[in-house]
Amino acid sequence: MGTEEFNAVVIGAGVAGLYQLIRLRRLGMSVRVLEAGDGVGGTWYWNRYPGCRFDSESWTYGYFFDPDLLDEWHWSEHFAPQPETLRYLNHVADRFDLRRDITFEARVASAHWDDDATRWTVTTTDGHSYRSQFLVTAIGALSTPIMPNIPGVDRFRGESHHTARWPHEPVSFEGKRVGVIGTGATGVQTIQEVAKTAGHLTVFQRNPNWCAPLHNRPITDDEQAQIREDYKQIMERCRQNYGGFVHETDKRNAVDVDEAEREAVFQRLYDSPGFGIWMGNFRDVLVNEESNRLMSDFLARKIRERVQDPDTAERLTPRNHGFGTRRVPLETNYYEVYNQDNVRLVDLRDTPITEITETGVRTTDGLVELDMIVYATGFDAVTGAFDRIDIRGVDGERLTDHWANGPRTYLGLNIPGFPNLFTIVGPHNAATFCNMTRCIEQNVEWISDLLAHMQANGQERVVSTPEAEQAWTDHVFESGEKLLFTKVDSWFMGVNKNLEGRTEKRFVLYAGGAPQYRSRCDEVAEDDYRGFVLQ
Ligand code: FAD
Ligand code: NAP
């Protein structure tokens, strides 16, 4: 099989890969995008489970880079369901004629750097290879689904689906005995949907999360017109917010206001749509234990009000972490599901799962017979998709070895020893903890500007220095020191109990916030790409 030559190879055709393709084309480059799936969309292609939708406001999540695109797209709901987002990304692919540069069903197995030739050789699992001067990974932080390490997962003879590998054909729950394992953001969305039609639903919960109401509703034509008019302000608000959302943080500390005022603010946030409760709360809620406890207590009261059975309410209330220190699932009648006769909560902290059998899930309390098991057990987050590609840099150094003690990067975008490689939404990059399209656009534009700078100066090779990597890695660790979420186990902290060697916390995000990240990246560019060697 011959090797095809390109200026750049991009891996992944999600939000990041599609926009990177557009920007590289504008630089006059020949580009090949390699995508494992058979369509565009990434997250929104793979996660077709019932109830999957945004928790970002739809009108803050779409691309902002093209005013015409903004003008012509009408989101139907404030928090659009997955099929609509997939339609949107297909619309973008059509509008910019992107498919001609994308090879689908092409899973990249390896990417090796040849320093003499200044070229990457990228090989797919079916043996095709591609050579390019630049390699951009757009492989997603939440793209590698993980099955639970429970004995017998392969034995079950009924239907079983991981939420991130959901079938393209409709799946019916009508009258069936369904079990859902997992109560993260995905599990919560799935459970509230399955409960509507399942004959019986058993929820297997290991740890509950602090959930808050989504308050979704359709976007009226008037609202759509207003959103179009307001886009400039919306963009600016997203630029200012820590997580790239439209919400504005309350500048006060929760502990400094009196109880009535605090309660009123908590209630207003609880009654408001989206992540205001997380991203627009008092500024100390995610850093001060006492303020965090006040917010958590408020939510615990809400759970008790909404769940009729006090024992179930208690089991749905997190006790091992405070509000917002893990990803906050946004819900629609999630807690009320547990008031239905056809729904039962199994608390795995009391009665752990011992095995999966041919006919169901066995806990220490006995066998729960099921027709269908839904695995909402999450992802090998942030580094998972990197670990599954054999990436080798100068002198054959493996990226997995470079990251053996946790990721190390410069700006979360490049790694010393790995020239001409850029990692959109990579570890230690603000994009992993963001209203993602906002940060993805920043990543892509910054990389594209660097490549334009190289073209203008006749430079062919760029790589960061070990000193720059050390300084950035130190800064990344400092950025998280004050935040309560760094004390808690979750994918934010690189913990995945289903994977060997991943039970200890390691820092995989950048917690300094999107505005600070952006200004650091801009400073580097303005200072002649400080920390990079350009040749
Ligand atoms: P992805 O969309 O994950 O795309 C990566 C692509 O790379 C995939 O198509 C994958 O197949 C491909 N790929 C990976 N490895 C290889 C390989 N070796 N070879 C070839 N192809 C490969 N973020 C928000 O900001 N707001 C939300 O409301 C929101 N909701 C979410 C809901 C769910 C269910 C999930 C899982 C995530 C959600 N996210 C949300 C995060 C979401 O991942 C990002 O918003 C965004 O879609 C990421 O885009 P991406 O292009 O970086 O990665
Ligand atoms: P997740 O947050 O990692 O949750 C996985 C769930 O599975 C947890 O409840 C976990 O329990 C449970 N689990 C894992 N292994 C288990 C085992 N062996 N036995 C029993 N339970 C097990 O994954 P996710 O829910 O897929 O969400 C991942 C991220 O995707 C989110 O944080 C969010 O960023 C994004 N997302 C966003 C939306 C949205 O609203 N737009 C929706 C879905 C996902 P423990 O907590 O005990 O480990």
Side-chain angles (χ1 to χ4, degrees), residues 476-490:
V476 165
F477 280 89
E478 274 161 31
S479 75
E481 257 166 25
K482 291 202 187 89
L483 284 159
L484 297 174
F485 79 68
T486 60
K487 324 273 182 292
V488 172
D489 285 358
S490 78

Side-chain angles (χ1 to χ4, degrees), residues 195-207:
K196 290 179 184 165
T197 54
H200 190 272
L201 168 63
T202 309
V203 175
F204 297 92
Q205 171 191 268
R206 195 162 60 184
N207 284 294

Side-chain angles (χ1 to χ4, degrees), residues 44 47 49 52-56 142 146-150 162-163 181-189 204-209 275 320 326-330 348 353 376-379 432 436 489-492 495-498:
W44 307 103
N47 290 267
Y49 62 85
C52 181
R53 64 173 65 248
F54 282 145
D55 48 19
S56 302
L142 297 163
I146 287 293
M147 292 291 279
N149 57 351
I150 301 170
H162 191 289
T163 48
I181 304 180
T183 50
T186 300
V188 166
Q189 288 184 333
F204 297 92
Q205 171 191 268
R206 195 162 60 184
N207 284 294
N209 286 295
F275 270 148
N320 65 346
R326 291 173 128 213
R327 177 60 139 71
V328 178
L330 295 182
L348 301 178
I353 299 176
T377 45
F379 301 89
T432 45
M436 281 213 193
D489 285 358
S490 78
W491 72 260
F492 288 174
V495 175
N496 192 318
K497 293 180 185 139
N498 294 305

Side-chain angles (χ1 to χ4, degrees), residues 171-199:
V171 173
S172 166
F173 310 103
E174 201 75 47
K176 292 180 185 161
R177 297 164 304 171
V178 182
V180 175
I181 304 180
T183 50
T186 300
V188 166
Q189 288 184 333
T190 305
I191 289 160
Q192 64 200 21
E193 208 52 39
V194 173
K196 290 179 184 165
T197 54

Side-chain angles (χ1 to χ4, degrees), residues 141-157:
L142 297 163
S143 58
T144 309
I146 287 293
M147 292 291 279
N149 57 351
I150 301 170
V153 266
D154 296 330
R155 286 199 354 237
F156 184 62
R157 285 201 308 257

